[in-house]
Amino acid sequence: MQAFITPWLLPATYLLGWLLVMVQPKHHWATARHTGRLALLLCLGAAMMVIFPFHTAKPSPDLLGLTTASLVALLGWVIIHFSSRYLTGERQQQRFVSAMLFTIACVGVLLASQHLLVITLAWSGTSIGMHFLLTHYAERKTAQIVAHKKFLVSRLAELCLIVALLLIYHACGTLQLDGLRHYLATHPDLPLSMQLAALMIVLAVILKTAQLPLHGWLIQVMEAPTPVSALLHAGIVNIGGFILIRLADLLNQAVIAQGILVLAGTTTAVLASLVMMTRVSIKVRLAWSTCAQMGFMLLEIGLGLYELALLHLLAHSLYKAHAFLSAGETVAMVRQQAYFTGGADRGWPGHYLTSGLLSGALVGASLWGWQSVFPALSVPVAALVIVALGLGPLLSGEQGWRAGLMARGAFMVLLLTQLYLGWHVLFSAIAPHSSPVNLLQTAAVILCFSGLYGLQFWLQKYPDGKLASTLYPWAYHGFYLDELFTRVTFPIWPIKLKPAQAQTRVHRFATDNGEPA
């Protein structure tokens, strides 16, 4: 009974809150705040019951669903409280609250369900709710265009999912996840129809996680209120990763689908990382960061590193929610990270290379220490290389080989590595076990991220050089990929723009309160 109840606490609470807002619209913010608070308390209570069971029978809860539901409950509570202050004086607040509660309720249903049809319908429901949130300022033409782009991408993704569900039902006779797992356990060699089903699911996830060149809607949603951006980037866009982790048993046997995930994820992670560093707007830079992080998450899933992908999903959600809700405080930090700006001397090439190698040595030594305590701990080489390259810049400061700075950098590398390995051990008990890693894919991933590491150094060292001058316009315009997508799709399904309303915020507020315009 416990295994059935706990995942459904989140959607049940938010659905109740949504219904109350529809019945009593005058108290929409009070209802929303109470809903967020109650959902968080219930999810935390359910988690405590799993950690400290009050009975002798061994519980068998859905740890993956419960973990992600607790994350969504926390994010929902924070975003709702932020929104109640942020939208003070705005129009259509009741519409905003209703759409917010409905969207989070659909996310909760998706996390709790073990039926593929229900998961698909709930995923579609989140798209509908986000459409209302993205068009909160309906008079803004940019908001209308972005919502239309997302509408097109979401419908294409849902078409792929429908095809996948039909193929799975034809082969397995069921859409229950347990039935699918039983079928996979008895059919180690997937038939062509199931390979195609896995491919359709992967394509749907690529569409919904804003992978290049289908990323434009995610980058251009800045016309929506900041809480909407936080909900989208911290929660909604991560759903694809969760669904793929749910379907790990299917992906482990679908080699082509895994290869496409690795290809799409690596390409997006590398290109979006370059584009991100050309941006001045903080929110736009955060949007490109989300695009890159989604690519990295799909790369991890394609390599079969499900526990790392789950860790990445949760960490990215928390970071991106904080980053958007406190975007004004991140200006000083990101100004120091631009690839194409500034003229600081980043040291000589050997210094940068040595920093990467030293970081790799510290990461490897840390893994050896953890394996002496946890012999079963295994971290693939690709993950270790990416972690080492990501932490390498901590050892390559602008002021060269100063002992104090190097010691501080080495301490930070060791500390972050311990946190990484510790969370890896924890999430290995929640996520599906990693599948064998393809050596060719691993080598390709290492080569791509090593190239990105070297390119980062070169652009920092020579910001006015020929390479930077040539690459900058391409990176700044997102390699013109979104323009290509727009030119292909909009003639097929054109947008009908609503006439702009020439009302200022003060004018709207006065009109809503019955004062003369």
Side-chain angles (χ1 to χ4, degrees), residues 2-3 6 44-61 63 66:
Q2 180 188 17
T6 50
L44 292 179
M48 294 302 295
M49 290 178 61
V50 172
I51 299 174
F52 306 105
F54 296 100
H55 46 78
T56 56
K58 184 178 180 180
S60 56
L63 293 179
L66 183 57

Side-chain angles (χ1 to χ4, degrees), residues 175-496:
L175 293 178
Q176 289 284 350
L177 291 179
D178 288 340
L180 175 60
R181 295 188 188 101
H182 176 73
Y183 173 87
L184 295 172
T186 56
H187 294 77
D189 296 324
L190 283 185
L192 180 61
S193 61
M194 290 297 288
Q195 293 279 357
L196 182 58
L199 180 60
M200 289 293 102
I201 293 173
V202 164
L203 291 178
V205 172
I206 288 174
L207 285 162
K208 294 233 180 188
T209 52
Q211 299 299 281
L212 273 64
L214 310 167
H215 63 289
W217 63 269
L218 182 68
I219 306 303
Q220 299 162 2
V221 296
M222 299 306 127
E223 290 292 331
T226 295
V228 177
S229 298
L231 177 64
L232 175 63
H233 289 262
I236 303 301
V237 78
N238 292 289
I239 290 176
F242 171 83
I243 289 178
L244 290 180
I245 294 173
R246 276 278 200 219
L247 298 174
D249 294 333
L250 175 62
L251 289 177
N252 287 340
Q253 300 182 34
V255 179
I256 297 177
Q258 285 183 317
I260 291 177
L261 281 174
V262 172
L263 177 61
T266 303
T267 303
T268 299
V270 172
L271 295 183
S273 296
L274 293 175
V275 176
M276 177 183 67
M277 297 307 168
T278 67
R279 297 307 185 186
V280 176
S281 169
I282 299 303
K283 289 180 69 175
V284 174
R285 179 176 292 209
L286 289 173
W288 276 104
S289 170
T290 297
C291 186
Q293 294 297 327
M294 290 301 100
F296 191 65
M297 184 188 304
L298 296 191
L299 160 66
E300 292 169 332
I301 295 174
L303 292 175
L305 310 177
Y306 302 110
E307 67 278 2
L308 299 184
L310 179 60
L311 170 59
H312 194 165
L313 187 155
L314 298 180
H316 174 261
S317 295
L318 293 173
Y319 162 72
K320 202 52 63 78
H322 175 268
F324 268 100
L325 297 181
S326 60
E329 301 175 3
T330 63
V331 176
M333 177 185 67
V334 298
R335 285 182 62 187
Q336 302 173 2
Q337 300 175 352
Y339 285 172
F340 300 100
T341 59
D345 184 3
R346 302 294 297 180
W348 54 289
H351 178 201
Y352 210 68
L353 175 62
T354 304
S355 298
L357 295 175
L358 180 57
S359 175
L362 293 174
V363 171
S366 298
L367 177 62
W368 178 80
W370 277 81
Q371 286 179 331
S372 63
V373 180
F374 301 97
L377 175 61
S378 176
V379 182
V381 175
L384 291 175
V385 171
I386 292 173
V387 170
L389 292 177
L391 298 178
L394 294 174
L395 297 167
S396 57
E398 298 179 3
Q399 302 180 31
W401 293 95
R402 291 181 56 182
L405 293 176
M406 292 298 296
R408 185 177 65 179
F411 173 77
M412 291 300 298
V413 170
L414 286 172
L415 176 62
L416 293 173
T417 303
Q418 309 319 307
L419 291 174
Y420 167 77
L421 293 174
W423 284 106
H424 176 86
V425 171
L426 175 62
F427 281 92
S428 63
I430 300 175
H433 296 298
S434 298
S435 64
V437 178
N438 184 291
L439 294 180
L440 180 61
Q441 292 178 352
T442 299
V445 169
I446 293 175
L447 180 62
C448 287
F449 280 90
S450 298
L452 178 62
Y453 183 79
L455 183 59
Q456 172 185 352
F457 160 76
W458 193 266
L459 295 174
Q460 289 177 326
K461 177 69 175 176
Y462 305 106
D464 299 320
K466 185 175 180 180
L467 177 60
S469 300
T470 303
L471 184 59
Y472 180 86
W474 286 86
Y476 181 80
H477 292 94
F479 298 94
Y480 303 97
L481 294 173
D482 181 55
E483 287 79 1
L484 176 63
F485 173 79
T486 303
R487 290 176 182 175
V488 171
T489 57
F490 273 41
I492 299 174
W493 197 331
I495 181 176
K496 297 180 180 180

Side-chain angles (χ1 to χ4, degrees), residues 10-11 14 72 75-76 80 99-109 231:
L10 176 69
Y14 272 95
V72 172
L75 294 177
I80 286 173
M100 179 75 72
L101 295 179
F102 176 81
T103 302
I104 299 177
C106 289
V107 174
V109 172
L231 177 64

Side-chain angles (χ1 to χ4, degrees), residues 87-100:
L87 294 173
T88 300
E90 292 283 355
R91 301 176 64 195
Q92 298 183 328
Q93 294 186 43
Q94 188 268 337
R95 176 181 180 270
F96 179 93
V97 172
S98 178
M100 179 75 72

